[in-house]
Amino acid sequence: MTKHFYITTPIYYVNDRPHIGHAYTSLACDVMARFKRLDGYDVKFLTGTDEHGQKVEKSAAKAGKAPQDFVDEVSQHFREMSEAMNFSHDDFIRTSSERHKREVTKFWHKIAERGKGEGGIYLDSYAGWYSVRDEAFYAESELEKNAEGQLVSPYGSPVEWVEEPSYFFELSYWQQSLLEFYEQNPEFVYPESRYNEVKRFVESGLQDLSISRTSFNWGVPVPGDEKHVMYVWLDALYNYVSALGGPEGEEYKRFWPADIHMVGKDILRFHAVYWPAFLMAAGMPTPEKVVAHGWWTNEGQKISKSLGNVIDPYALVEEFGLDQTRYFLMREVPFGNDGDYSRDKMVSRINADLANEIGNLCQRTLSMIQKNCDGNVPERGPVLEQDEQLQNIADSLIQEMRQDLQKPDFSKALERVLHLSGAANEYITREQPWALKKTDPARMADVLYTLAEALRYIATALAPFIPNAANQMLDQLAVSPEERDFTHLSPEHALKAGTALPPPRGVFPRFLDSAA
Ligand code: MSP
């Protein structure tokens, strides 16, 4: 039976250029999607852009453009970022597309089959605080004062007082159902601290949610009352379903409910509270899991446009290399925690893990094979205990990484690859194949074979994280493209003695810091 796996990034607001935060969320999804594909799953990896709402409308006006022209242009930047980061998404959804607008309109109708007292939609008026930057309504008790004494949102964004007719979603009705749902699905939110935060928020009581606006019109019209546009978050969240063609779509049967919605911690509440409640009201299955990652700071400082310290993913790729950047972002912090970017940390990761550990292992093994075995995969002799020990670490690697990614804990998964490569480097030091050349060439061949095989496991396991470099390693081991998945990490598919290997090339150069 085919196993299906559906993973989504948040859809990005098109008010801004892509930055490290966007690249990070999508990268985590990309690694997961690639891992699952190599593990035999039928995968759908969705990303896209969130194009409606007041924030985007204002940005378009500021740019002197009609909203549709503006979003067409900025949405393109996000496609380009995906390409530059080598993301392997299967689909890119835009909320201003017809396929989305049609489906979200049906979704509204579905929820509106329930009225007040039934957990559905009712007309009233909203009077309260709204932050355009966060596109969120706030209760007065949630607001804070900034250094200038102004009221701001918990994320430091300006808020304004809004009074207007509005449709409401009767969120309060779903409180008990949500709490039962969390109780029955303790893994619904990762990490656990965030799960507890969501539960506490719902336990503290839920207000009904305003789900339409009348003071601007860049959005999907509310069916039957076109003075209103849908609240941008209701509109946006449904992208996950509209991209499947809606509940009648062929892909819906294969992929809904989503396995993972990957989000930053700032947008967890929308995904873990409002979204399941909307779906419950429409009688649709809720997602399996919402994973909330932390935020990056830059050299210890909060990233912000006003501080001018926004990290541009293109600049990182340009300076350090694509796979190096991908590796750093996934390795540096346990997923879920906040992370701090610094040049020093980037350089030391590249040099310590990639150049010194994995690159060195690769270079030493392959050049010894080239020189001493005529460039062919060597003949394997009798397997000694130390060979078997190394092979045992390789054998358990994927299973352990599966468990790490189940959480997901990307940096732990990478640590395990490093552990295997560390064990292989120690093995070289102990076995000294260069010395065996004269004393026992058969044993030398055996040692080099064991190392080449360990490298094959390392490269295959790294492929979801650093696909280009991993493929270069596998090219150098002459592993054919159809053998580069996890089912081939078994003794029956081991490297064949006598296979000609291409001349070795360094895969991970040391980063020499000219700025230091
Ligand atoms: N449009 C909404 C999502 C709708 S999903 C139905 C949105 N868009 S966003 O463009 O503002 O942000 C998208 C993601 O970028 C969020 O997951 C957010 O956490 C992430 N990041 C923004 N700045 C970040 C950092 N400094 N560090 C890490 N991630 C951060 O929200």
Side-chain angles (χ1 to χ4, degrees):
M1 210 183 70
T2 323
K3 308 173 282 183
H4 304 282
F5 183 77
Y6 182 30
I7 186 162
T8 67
T9 75
I11 48 172
Y12 302 113
Y13 287 128
V14 289
N15 65 313
D16 207 356
R17 288 227 154 225
H19 60 63
I20 194 72
H22 307 119
Y24 184 57
T25 317
S26 290
L27 173 60
C29 294
D30 185 57
V31 170
M32 197 65 140
R34 288 175 183 273
F35 189 93
K36 290 286 182 180
R37 287 191 199 107
L38 294 184
D39 212 11
Y41 285 74
D42 169 31
V43 171
K44 183 172 171 93
F45 165 19
L46 175 71
T47 189
T49 42
D50 188 351
E51 305 189 353
H52 290 135
Q54 218 173 350
K55 168 149 105 170
V56 171
E57 192 187 63
K58 281 190 170 177
S59 303
K62 210 167 140 203
K65 300 214 162 113
Q68 190 65 53
D69 295 339
F70 178 75
V71 300
D72 288 348
E73 189 181 308
V74 184
S75 174
Q76 193 55 30
H77 297 158
F78 284 89
R79 285 186 193 266
E80 287 159 9
M81 172 195 71
S82 283
E83 205 147 299
M85 296 294 296
N86 197 9
F87 295 153
S88 61
H89 55 274
D90 302 288
D91 195 357
F92 190 102
I93 182 111
R94 300 180 52 190
T95 50
S96 71
S97 64
E98 286 310 315
R99 67 165 170 159
H100 173 73
K101 290 192 284 192
R102 184 185 65 233
E103 291 303 325
V104 75
T105 305
K106 289 192 208 159
F107 186 53
W108 180 289
H109 274 299
K110 186 77 199 147
I111 301 178
E113 285 173 13
R114 295 168 175 269
K116 192 165 184 168
E118 299 166 330
I121 294 178
Y122 62 92
L123 182 61
D124 202 331
S125 62
Y126 179 78
W129 296 101
Y130 191 77
S131 159
V132 176
R133 194 193 289 166
D134 304 349
E135 294 284 21
F137 300 93
Y138 291 108
E140 188 138 343
S141 57
E142 291 178 282
L143 300 180
E144 293 164 12
K145 279 211 171 128
N146 68 8
E148 290 85 54
Q150 289 147 340
L151 278 180
V152 290
S153 83
Y155 300 99
S157 309
V159 291
E160 60 193 44
W161 184 258
V162 169
E163 271 189 48
E164 59 186 7
S166 173
Y167 285 92
F168 280 79
F169 171 65
E170 200 179 15
L171 183 63
S172 54
Y173 176 93
W174 297 100
Q175 179 175 359
Q176 211 41 47
S177 313
L178 283 169
L179 290 173
E180 282 162 22
F181 170 68
Y182 302 143
E183 222 37 67
Q184 286 156 11
N185 297 279
E187 298 196 343
F188 176 59
V189 176
Y190 179 83
E192 200 185 346
S193 56
R194 299 276 168 214
Y195 167 84
N196 292 329
E197 180 186 303
V198 165
K199 232 169 57 173
R200 275 197 304 275
F201 172 74
V202 175
E203 275 161 1
S204 73
L206 293 173
Q207 304 283 321
D208 292 350
L209 182 71
S210 164
I211 51 165
S212 77
R213 305 286 314 271
T214 47
S215 45
F216 65 94
N217 55 29
W218 180 237
V220 183
V222 168
D225 195 352
E226 311 220 331
K227 288 187 303 301
H228 294 251
V229 292
M230 294 182 197
Y231 173 39
V232 62
W233 269 101
L234 175 84
D235 171 1
L237 285 163
Y238 203 64
N239 87 86
Y240 303 133
V241 176
S242 66
L244 303 176
E248 281 91 45
E250 182 271 327
E251 285 203 317
Y252 182 87
K253 292 182 204 78
R254 267 159 75 200
F255 292 116
W256 194 257
D259 294 275
I260 295 184
H261 292 314
M262 190 74 75
V263 302
K265 62 182 183 181
D266 52 317
I267 56 172
L268 177 59
R269 189 185 292 180
F270 299 96
H271 284 83
V273 182
Y274 303 163
W275 180 225
F278 294 155
L279 288 165
M280 285 173 184
M284 291 164 68
T286 45
E288 298 290 340
K289 191 173 204 160
V290 180
V291 174
H293 65 69
W295 272 46
W296 284 92
T297 49
N298 188 355
E299 310 271 356
Q301 264 191 327
K302 189 174 175 227
I303 294 176
S304 86
K305 264 200 272 189
S306 50
L307 288 173
N309 65 349
V310 175
I311 302 174
D312 173 6
Y314 293 100
L316 294 185
V317 169
E318 167 92 4
E319 179 168 17
F320 300 105
L322 171 59
D323 281 335
Q324 284 81 351
T325 301
R326 290 177 57 114
Y327 181 83
F328 173 82
L329 292 173
M330 289 290 98
R331 174 73 181 90
E332 191 58 18
V333 284
F335 205 67
N337 292 7
D338 289 338
D340 183 43
Y341 167 81
S342 81
R343 250 190 95 75
D344 285 353
K345 288 183 199 160
M346 174 70 107
V347 171
S348 60
R349 272 291 168 212
I350 293 175
N351 287 341
D353 292 6
L354 294 181
N356 294 357
E357 274 293 334
I358 298 169
N360 209 12
L361 173 68
C362 205
Q363 187 63 22
R364 287 210 279 178
T365 305
L366 294 174
S367 54
M368 277 190 274
I369 292 180
Q370 196 67 37
K371 263 205 256 131
N372 305 319
C373 314
D374 295 331
N376 295 330
V377 172
E379 210 56 61
R380 165 165 254 182
V383 178
L384 305 189
E385 198 187 325
Q386 57 269 41
D387 311 341
E388 201 170 280
Q389 270 170 5
L390 186 62
Q391 185 58 42
N392 285 345
I393 301 179
D395 285 340
S396 57
L397 178 65
I398 293 297
Q399 185 48 25
E400 287 169 352
M401 289 176 80
R402 274 191 197 109
Q403 284 161 8
D404 298 331
L405 289 205
Q406 180 62 29
K407 291 182 175 161
D409 186 344
F410 298 99
S411 78
K412 184 84 201 162
L414 283 172
E415 259 178 49
R416 297 194 197 270
V417 184
L418 260 285
H419 175 66
L420 172 58
S421 123
N425 273 320
E426 280 167 27
Y427 173 86
I428 300 196
T429 312
R430 264 198 326 265
E431 300 301 312
Q432 305 200 339
W434 53 88
L436 290 170
K437 191 181 167 189
K438 287 209 184 84
T439 54
D440 188 352
R443 176 64 191 150
M444 175 200 70
D446 198 18
V447 168
L448 292 178
Y449 182 91
T450 308
L451 286 166
E453 189 57 5
L455 270 179
R456 187 173 75 88
Y457 280 68
I458 291 173
T460 308
L462 283 175
F465 296 86
I466 49 174
N468 292 344
N471 276 320
Q472 279 173 29
M473 289 169 71
L474 291 166
D475 290 343
Q476 299 197 42
L477 290 165
V479 174
S480 69
E482 57 284 0
E483 290 175 333
R484 298 179 181 191
D485 62 25
F486 300 155
T487 50
H488 286 84
L489 294 185
S490 60
E492 320 78 274
H493 299 102
L495 293 168
K496 303 227 168 7
T499 310
L501 301 184
R505 285 189 298 131
V507 180
F508 299 111
R510 257 189 92 73
F511 185 84
L512 300 171
D513 198 353
S514 52

